[in-house]
Amino acid sequence: MLMGLVIGTGVLGLVVWAFLRRSLQPSQPEDPFASTSPGSSSRNRPQRVWSFRARRSRHPFPGAPHDDVPGRDASGDLASLQAHGLPVLTSPSEVADLLGVSPKTLRGWESLSHQKRPPKKGQHYHVRIIPKRSGGTRLLMVPKPRLKRAQRTLLRELLDKLPVHEAAHAFRTGRGPLTNASAHAGKRVVIGLDLKDFFPTLTRRRVAGFFRALGYGRDVSNTLAALTTTWAPQPGHDGQPKWPMLPQGAPTSPALANAICWRMDKRMDALAKKFGATYTRYADDLTFSGGEELHQRAPYFIRTVQEIIRTEGFAPNDKKTRVLGSGRQQRVTGLVVNEAPKVSRKERDELKAILHRAATKGVGAVELEPMPGDLQAHLRGRVAWVAQADARQAEKLERLWGRIDWGASGAPT
């Protein structure tokens, strides 16, 4: 009896302790993503933003877009390829036939990419390092003519048939920096995030996994990945990746990058809609814009976007994250979007001064840093850039352009 009394007292003590612990526990901070409408309950409450996981945003093709597909037969899923209008390729020799090259040539391209370290010679790319206007350099790797022809065939026969999300504006016919910026004109707030090392993150292994997800067998996927990726010239130096990657400069890289980002774009678009906002992506540049709700909840929103970026296999470039209210100059892909998209006054005035100097003192008097290889094409492109955004603002620039004597290196005669 004494033992029963002791046990009963102990159980009662645990119950009282649990009750007091729950009563004294600090209340949880308000969930910024939960419904605040009167009478809302857990049954009719909208999904939390944290539910935007990969499993809830499936790629239009089975499997994950950047990993191998567990359990999939090595020969692939031919029915999936046929259903989506993609060429059925069951062996590397059929890939060679599609590209119009010999199996030996294809094996040569493939062997270089599959080496465990970059080859000292025999690369199939011309390498150029060009300066960025914003500082730093960009590594361009342009395939040599024979490989470029094969990649263009692959682009036409396969990659152009892959789904691309409507939010993507880079590398697409009829779209560009202007259409990307126009989606965010006149908004209360513009939030921008960048993906760090965008093309280097898209490695050969990841590209092969994507082709596996489309339905191609392991051998074909590895061949296609080897055909579209390559080693950087000096892996590990100056930020160059230590593995084969999508080369910036190959005709296949933009289409592959957009297709691999389809799921991430879908998740970002769904998140933006939950906040009544707009989402677009221009290559590695992610932009969101919206009203007061997005402005007030910007810190929570940015953390959620960063989580999605990481779960999709990318890394956010924290140094380039920006929140621009309507009281500041809002720039999207180089255009000011506080009202209608346009080139900034500072940039127009700078270009006007350059053209005036060329028209009055001669082309040889123009000094730019860095100096472009083709000054005429460079300035023509900058004038066209202003005219594309606002033809009226470009009228004076066009008149100055017409006064330049491009045949003279000194003062005009």
Side-chain angles (χ1 to χ4, degrees), residues 108-142:
W109 291 333
E110 188 176 359
S111 64
L112 289 178
S113 180
H114 281 309
Q115 291 181 13
K116 294 184 179 180
R117 62 188 63 183
K120 294 182 179 179
K121 60 180 180 178
Q123 279 275 22
H124 297 288
Y125 291 81
H126 297 290
V127 179
R128 293 174 55 198
I129 297 178
I130 61 174
K132 297 180 181 178
R133 290 186 64 186
S134 57
T137 58
R138 175 178 288 109
L139 176 65
L140 283 184
M141 302 185 69
V142 181

Side-chain angles (χ1 to χ4, degrees), residues 323-374:
V323 180
L324 305 172
S326 55
R328 300 174 57 189
Q329 186 183 82
Q330 299 170 323
R331 293 177 69 100
V332 178
T333 47
L335 294 170
V336 179
V337 296
N338 293 71
E339 297 175 354
K342 59 185 179 181
V343 177
S344 68
R345 178 184 294 274
K346 179 181 178 181
E347 188 174 345
R348 295 197 312 270
D349 289 346
E350 177 186 302
L351 178 57
K352 179 182 175 182
I354 294 171
L355 295 175
H356 183 267
R357 186 176 185 85
T360 57
K361 297 186 178 182
V363 177
V366 175
E367 297 180 358
L368 298 178
E369 184 61 39
M371 193 68 178
D374 188 338

Side-chain angles (χ1 to χ4, degrees), residues 276-315:
T278 300
Y279 162 70
T280 65
R281 179 179 60 82
Y282 193 88
D284 59 352
D285 190 359
L286 281 57
T287 306
F288 303 84
S289 63
E292 191 61 32
E293 180 183 11
L294 182 65
H295 186 249
Q296 293 295 329
R297 296 181 175 180
Y300 300 102
F301 184 85
I302 290 172
R303 285 201 295 271
T304 309
V305 170
Q306 291 173 335
E307 183 197 9
I308 295 175
I309 290 173
R310 293 187 183 98
T311 59
E312 287 296 327
F314 294 99

Side-chain angles (χ1 to χ4, degrees), residues 199-215:
F199 280 100
T201 302
L202 300 172
T203 63
R204 182 187 64 203
R205 180 178 179 182
R206 186 167 179 176
V207 172
F210 175 74
F211 282 118
R212 287 280 282 149
L214 296 182

Side-chain angles (χ1 to χ4, degrees), residues 231-289:
W231 287 93
Q234 295 178 302
H237 295 279
D238 297 326
Q240 296 179 21
K242 300 178 181 179
W243 42 78
M245 60 169 185
L246 281 186
Q248 193 170 359
T252 48
S253 294
L256 267 172
N258 273 341
I260 291 174
C261 287
W262 182 92
R263 188 177 67 180
M264 181 184 72
D265 289 336
K266 182 176 181 180
R267 296 175 68 190
M268 294 295 186
D269 187 57
L271 173 63
K273 284 185 170 64
K274 192 174 182 69
F275 282 78
T278 300
Y279 162 70
T280 65
R281 179 179 60 82
Y282 193 88
D284 59 352
D285 190 359
L286 281 57
T287 306
F288 303 84
S289 63

Side-chain angles (χ1 to χ4, degrees), residues 169-184:
H169 285 257
F171 321 125
R172 300 184 66 185
T173 303
R175 297 195 174 195
L178 180 59
T179 60
N180 184 69
S182 298
H184 305 286

